[in-house]
């Protein structure tokens, strides 16, 4: 490939932020009608979930649950990520094909990491179950591997999304939670930033395909 063609190709690269599993990112890339070679995936820190896209290190990021940051624009819901709970392999909940969030309330859960917005965390790990049982949001960790290690000890369980099963290590199990709504998946970017045309095209194509 010539230097000129390399420049043209690179100019269409979308720097796409994600968290946890890359499977949802792959779904969004397919919706946009792009090849994964046309994207650079970079994982953002959940404790500072929006910092990389705000600083310009990412063009656009995959967000889950409702984003209520006034400086960020979002697409319509592109896809969904079912709910699940991460438990130790020997945990009582690990023996089930799916569980209720009411069952999860019997165990210590995780509180929001870092500066993660409280209103979004209330959707990830609700303060109470639908029946009114409090969820004890006790543990705080900054990164997924740290959370997985703590869960593997049996010290707590983590309400999350099912796609996290893709990155779950030995010693833990990701069990579907059947009575929480799935997490809506959107793309988010700074509202006041003028995005490059190819990034705008990526966002528009994903929204159009999701709306079919």
């Amino acid at each position: 490939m010539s230097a000129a063609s390399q420049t043209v190709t690179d100019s269409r690269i979308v720097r796409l932020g994600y968290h946890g599993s890359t499977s949802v990112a792959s779904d969004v890339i397919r919706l946009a009608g792009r090849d994964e070679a046309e994207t650079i995936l970079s994982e953002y820190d959940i404790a500072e979930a929006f910092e990389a896209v705000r600083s310009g290190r990412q063009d656009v990021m995959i967000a889950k649950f409702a984003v209520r940051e006034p400086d960020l624009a979002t697409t319509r819901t592109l896809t969904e990520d079912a709910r699940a709970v991460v438990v130790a392999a020997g945990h009582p909940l690990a023996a089930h094909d799916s569980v209720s969030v009411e069952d999860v309330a019997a165990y210590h859960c995780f509180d929001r990491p870092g500066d993660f917005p409280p209103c979004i965390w209330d959707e990830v790990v609700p303060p109470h179950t639908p029946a009114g049982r409090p969820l004890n949001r006790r543990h705080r960790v900054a990164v997924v591997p740290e959370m997985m290690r703590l869960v593997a000890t049996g010290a707590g369980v983590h309400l999350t999304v099912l796609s996290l099963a893709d990155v779950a290590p030995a010693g833990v199990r990701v069990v579907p939670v059947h009575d929480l709504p799935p997490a809506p998946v959107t793309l988010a970017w700074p509202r006041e930033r003028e995005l490059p045309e190819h990034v705008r095209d990526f966002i528009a194509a994903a929204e159009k395909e999701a709306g079919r």
Side-chain angles (χ1 to χ4, degrees):
M1 180 181 293
S2 69
S5 61
Q6 179 70 51
T7 301
V8 171
T9 301
D10 288 349
S11 72
R12 288 190 54 79
I13 293 291
V14 175
R15 297 172 301 162
L16 180 61
Y18 77 99
H19 176 70
S21 168
T22 61
S23 63
V24 174
S26 295
D27 291 342
V28 171
I29 292 167
R30 283 194 293 271
L31 283 173
R34 298 296 181 90
D35 189 283
E36 294 199 14
E38 296 178 278
T39 63
I40 295 176
L41 293 181
S42 62
E43 187 168 15
Y44 55 79
D45 183 347
I46 194 67
E48 298 177 322
F50 306 115
E51 193 277 331
V53 77
R54 282 174 171 147
S55 68
R57 298 199 310 275
Q58 297 170 352
D59 296 314
V60 63
M61 63 176 282
I62 291 172
K64 297 176 184 177
F65 302 95
V67 175
R68 300 182 181 90
E69 302 294 289
D71 65 318
L72 298 181
T74 61
T75 61
R76 69 164 75 203
T77 297
L78 302 178
T79 184
E80 294 179 331
D81 203 347
R83 301 305 308 278
V85 63
V86 183
V87 300
H91 193 277
L93 297 182
H96 299 271
D97 292 331
S98 72
V99 297
S100 166
V101 68
E102 306 295 339
D103 302 320
V104 175
Y107 306 97
H108 294 312
C109 296
F110 284 74
D111 204 349
R112 66 187 182 97
D115 295 326
F116 195 88
C119 60
I120 303 178
W121 195 254
D122 284 349
E123 295 186 51
V124 182
V125 184
H128 299 86
T129 70
R133 298 183 66 189
L135 287 171
N136 183 354
R137 302 188 293 190
R138 175 178 180 177
H139 303 293
R140 297 192 74 166
V141 298
V143 295
V144 170
E146 186 180 358
M147 178 273 292
M148 293 288 189
R149 285 193 294 270
L150 185 58
V151 166
T153 69
V157 304
H158 180 46
L159 274 173
T160 184
V161 287
L162 189 59
S163 64
L164 211 59
D166 297 342
V167 295
V172 305
R173 181 155 183 246
V174 180
V175 182
V177 174
H178 57 72
D179 53 356
L180 284 179
V185 176
T186 62
L187 290 172
W189 65 96
R191 189 179 299 277
E192 299 301 323
R193 179 179 299 155
E194 182 64 29
L195 296 177
E197 182 178 4
H198 71 283
V199 178
R200 296 198 306 271
D201 289 346
F202 179 93
I203 294 168
E207 276 205 294
K208 182 177 180 180
E209 185 63 24
R212 291 182 184 275

